[in-house]
Amino acid sequence: MCRSAAEGGRRCTGGSCGAAGARARQARCRARNNLEAARITADPDRIAAAEAKYTAVTGTPPPDVGAFAGQLPTMPEPTTPEKPMPKPEEPKPRKPEPAGSTADRVRDAVAKLNKAPGEWTSFIDIRKALGDVDHEEFSQAVRELARTNPHVFLIPEDNRKALRQVDHDAAVDYSGEPQHYIAIEKPREAAAKDRVQAAGLSDATPDDLAQALRDPLTSSQLYDQIRAEQKRRGLA
């Protein structure tokens, strides 16, 4: 082969296959290799010099890139555009879980709605305060409190004519009768009466005075004295 296929080569007939032909083929091979090497560097000046040398040696213009030895032109691989990253979803705020059992929450609600232990509180107000509690779950918790806690009391509304639909809806059925109010008394402290007597009425704490009033062992005389002391302090 005197010239490559890219150079329009033909098979040698024998006349140009001597030493001179071999030198010519080597010169063309070097020119081709130099051109390929220059194109790899992507240096414009080096490529221009290699193309000029190739034309001078072969007498033909340089072939296209990648066309030597029957190769296909090298084409850059298509790049797939990157898809935008999906925006991460912001976590939804979670509602805080209510602490304690339903019965505990009923007790806490009664304590917050009342100024003092033992006051009557309507089930309308308590159900509003515990709006996330199921209606029957609330009623069951109240019935359980009344059955197991001697300091919990339920009563119906005396004036039945004054009852509204909202009163009927909020009522808790207990012992076969709808109840509309609840009171939770503070457990009696037996030692309060003794502390009042030891400290004296004027030095006793307001809580001890209140506890001593509820003690069934408090005499009528001491009861009246405690009531008078409470009035003097503005506690009654």
Side-chain angles (χ1 to χ4, degrees):
M1 181 75 72
C2 295
R3 285 189 296 175
S4 68
E7 300 167 11
R10 56 181 175 80
R11 186 167 298 277
C12 180
T13 59
S16 61
C17 292
R23 288 194 296 272
R25 288 195 299 273
Q26 291 176 354
R28 288 194 296 270
C29 182
R30 285 193 296 269
R32 183 176 68 241
N33 292 341
N34 289 337
L35 179 56
E36 286 181 327
R39 285 174 172 175
I40 292 174
T41 65
D43 184 345
D45 295 337
R46 185 174 174 182
I47 293 174
E51 288 179 344
K53 179 69 173 179
Y54 181 89
T55 301
V57 172
T58 64
T60 59
D64 294 335
V65 177
F68 288 119
Q71 298 176 0
L72 294 175
T74 303
M75 299 296 291
E77 295 184 0
T79 58
T80 304
E82 295 184 0
K83 295 183 179 179
M85 294 292 292
K87 186 178 180 182
E89 294 184 2
E90 296 182 0
K92 297 181 179 179
R94 297 180 59 184
K95 294 183 179 180
E97 294 290 335
S101 64
T102 303
D104 290 337
R105 297 183 65 194
V106 170
R107 279 193 294 263
D108 292 342
V110 171
K112 291 178 181 178
L113 291 169
N114 290 339
K115 296 180 180 179
E119 291 185 353
W120 294 105
T121 309
S122 73
F123 285 127
I124 294 176
D125 295 335
I126 303 174
R127 286 190 187 274
K128 285 181 180 178
L130 304 179
D132 61 314
V133 178
D134 177 74
H135 188 279
E136 183 55 33
E137 180 183 350
F138 176 93
S139 300
Q140 183 60 34
V142 171
R143 286 191 288 266
E144 188 67 18
L145 281 173
R147 280 195 296 265
T148 60
N149 192 329
H151 304 289
V152 175
F153 305 92
L154 308 180
I155 61 171
E157 171 61 53
D158 290 335
N159 186 4
R160 297 303 178 91
K161 293 182 179 180
L163 292 175
R164 303 158 297 170
Q165 185 60 44
V166 65
D167 297 296
H168 294 298
D169 294 340
V172 174
D173 185 74
Y174 185 70
S175 297
E177 186 175 3
Q179 310 293 318
H180 304 94
Y181 298 93
I182 183 174
I184 302 179
E185 292 185 348
K186 189 174 181 180
R188 179 178 62 86
E189 187 178 352
K193 177 175 67 68
D194 297 334
R195 288 197 297 268
V196 169
Q197 291 176 321
L201 291 171
S202 60
D203 294 329
T205 65
D207 187 60
D208 281 347
L209 292 174
Q211 291 289 336
L213 280 180
R214 298 173 53 211
D215 192 327
L217 299 179
T218 299
S219 64
S220 299
Q221 181 182 2
L222 180 57
Y223 184 92
D224 293 338
Q225 291 173 346
I226 293 174
R227 292 293 293 169
E229 179 63 21
Q230 287 180 322
K231 289 179 180 180
R232 187 185 69 81
R233 298 187 191 184
L235 302 176

